[in-house]
Amino acid sequence: MLFVAGCASRPGSEVLEPIANVPSYTDKVQVLVATTRERGSPEDPNAFTAKRAKDLNFSALTVSIPSQHVTGEIEWPDTTPPDPSRHFITTERQFLDADGFLEQIRARARRGGPEANDVLVFVHGYNTLYEEAVYWLAQIVHDSGFKGTAVLFAWPSMGKVPLYLADREASTYSRDYLEQALLKMSKLPEVREINILAHSMGNWLAVETLRQAKLQGHGDFNGKLAEVILASPDLDVNVFRTQLDVIGKLPRPMTVLVSGDDSALAFSTKLAGNVDRAGRVTADDARAIEAAQKYNLQVVDLTAVDDGQGNHHSKYSKSAPVVAAIGTRLNNDGVNSQAQVGVVSAVAGVGNSLLKVPAAIVAPIAASQ
């Protein structure tokens, strides 16, 4: 996220302190964490900081979703104690080693039910605090209806607007660690598929990881790499093309969510010397059409989708139809996936069909008219 919306002041580590006696009637979301953030600060020995860890750290949290929750929003606590009917609340937290982290995934699979053997890995973007990333994934999981194992890969963003370059370096630092985490999960026999959802600068980390994994001979992560959804990718369009040249066509089409009114990516475009960002290459751009066919992509243009006020950089999570469609895509098991290759202009109110069945594929001839 390039700018934070939804809370007047940004959250501190206290929001992740577990609170007991939260009513059983609220929905609960479990979030597992693999992070390159160091643990411990002078103020809070349990906080994950913006310092870069030399080894992956792991955690598990349970987040209560308020009964008055509005899809697409994170209702941050503004009272002490927080109100379970109005606020996201952390109800459980534990710190894990690598084996404990993997055991949590196995345990979820053993419980059975929908998507029990599926993992969703979320890679957050720039200017994102750890606490924001945890609650953001909880919101996405709840609103999308995903029922499998949710894993946050938290890299050490500084969480400050001016530190764009520092965040870029921190995300690059985390490539080997994300690859390591994905490989560990892919070796679990209980895991059937691993899905990746990346946002903003998190796409640089995710796509670079896929690129280096392909170069090292395990780009499909033991045949378990499934959906790859790139939301508002803050990627140089030319660099993205060279990354895709290495990655090649994935078994399922890679989904790229773009929006022409994304003012956050307009800002990063200026920072990058006015080189276009992939997240702003819209459906009427011949480059999107060519890339979709060459690299097995589904480019979804969300320009016409209303996500309310703000910088329009997070439509994937703030728009109810879009986040619901992501849930549908994750539950689709790749059915009829090749029919989805191409470019589609989404409109408000398309509901769950948004990502599953494109309303229209834009042919190359249409772009020239």
Side-chain angles (χ1 to χ4, degrees), residues 269-283:
T269 298
K270 292 181 180 178
L271 290 178
N274 291 319
V275 176
D276 288 335
R277 316 316 284 170
R280 280 173 58 90
V281 177
T282 52

Side-chain angles (χ1 to χ4, degrees), residues 70-98:
V70 176
T71 299
E73 298 296 326
I74 299 174
E75 290 88 0
W76 292 98
D78 58 6
T79 62
T80 303
D83 181 347
S85 70
R86 297 193 300 114
H87 302 138
F88 276 57
I89 299 174
T90 304
T91 63
E92 296 179 66
R93 178 178 63 177
Q94 57 181 312
F95 299 99
L96 308 168
D97 59 14

Side-chain angles (χ1 to χ4, degrees), residues 133-334:
V134 170
Y135 276 19
W136 204 342
L137 178 54
Q139 176 253 310
I140 292 167
V141 169
H142 178 270
D143 293 352
S144 69
F146 178 70
K147 302 299 183 185
T149 299
V151 174
L152 168 66
F153 187 85
W155 52 275
S157 167
M158 299 294 288
K160 296 180 180 179
V161 171
L163 299 181
Y164 182 89
L165 182 57
D167 270 14
R168 180 69 168 223
E169 297 296 334
S171 65
T172 302
Y173 170 80
S174 301
R175 291 175 301 185
D176 293 350
Y177 298 94
L178 175 56
E179 182 183 14
Q180 174 188 335
L182 293 171
L183 280 172
K184 285 180 180 291
M185 290 184 284
S186 74
K187 292 176 181 178
L188 294 177
E190 294 89 349
V191 170
R192 181 188 62 173
E193 64 179 43
I194 298 173
N195 305 282
I196 297 174
L197 171 62
H199 178 235
S200 189
M201 191 181 285
N203 287 281
W204 168 253
L205 170 53
V207 176
E208 274 290 283
T209 299
L210 293 176
R211 177 182 179 274
Q212 71 179 41
K214 179 62 179 289
L215 289 172
Q216 295 184 42
H218 47 250
D220 66 350
F221 291 95
N222 293 306
K224 296 182 180 180
L225 183 63
E227 302 293 343
V228 176
I229 302 175
L230 310 182
S232 310
D234 188 2
L235 291 169
D236 177 309
V237 290
N238 300 307
V239 174
F240 188 34
R241 173 179 54 79
T242 64
Q243 292 170 318
L244 292 173
D245 281 336
V246 174
I247 294 169
K249 292 184 176 182
L250 297 178
R252 300 187 195 178
M254 183 184 295
T255 300
V256 186
L257 305 180
V258 303
S259 189
D261 61 350
D262 188 329
S263 59
L265 288 185
F267 172 69
S268 64
T269 298
K270 292 181 180 178
L271 290 178
N274 291 319
V275 176
D276 288 335
R277 316 316 284 170
R280 280 173 58 90
V281 177
T282 52
D284 58 355
D285 191 315
R287 292 174 297 178
I289 298 162
E290 178 185 1
Q293 298 301 328
K294 182 177 181 180
Y295 299 114
N296 204 38
L297 309 180
Q298 185 191 30
V299 180
V300 182
D301 187 345
L302 301 176
T303 303
V305 173
D306 182 12
D307 65 337
Q309 299 179 352
N311 57 19
H312 310 299
H313 188 51
S314 302
K315 292 184 179 183
Y316 79 104
S317 64
K318 292 184 69 64
S319 166
V322 178
V323 72
I326 288 174
T328 300
R329 184 63 174 260
L330 294 173
N331 195 32
N332 195 31
D333 293 331

Side-chain angles (χ1 to χ4, degrees), residues 28-32 104-105 108-109 111-121 141 144-151 192-193 195 330-331:
K28 309 297 192 300
V29 174
Q30 185 183 50
V31 173
L32 299 182
Q104 290 276 340
I105 299 174
R108 168 65 191 94
R111 290 197 297 271
E115 300 174 296
N117 304 97
D118 299 351
V119 175
L120 171 63
V121 179
V141 169
S144 69
F146 178 70
K147 302 299 183 185
T149 299
V151 174
R192 181 188 62 173
E193 64 179 43
N195 305 282
L330 294 173
N331 195 32

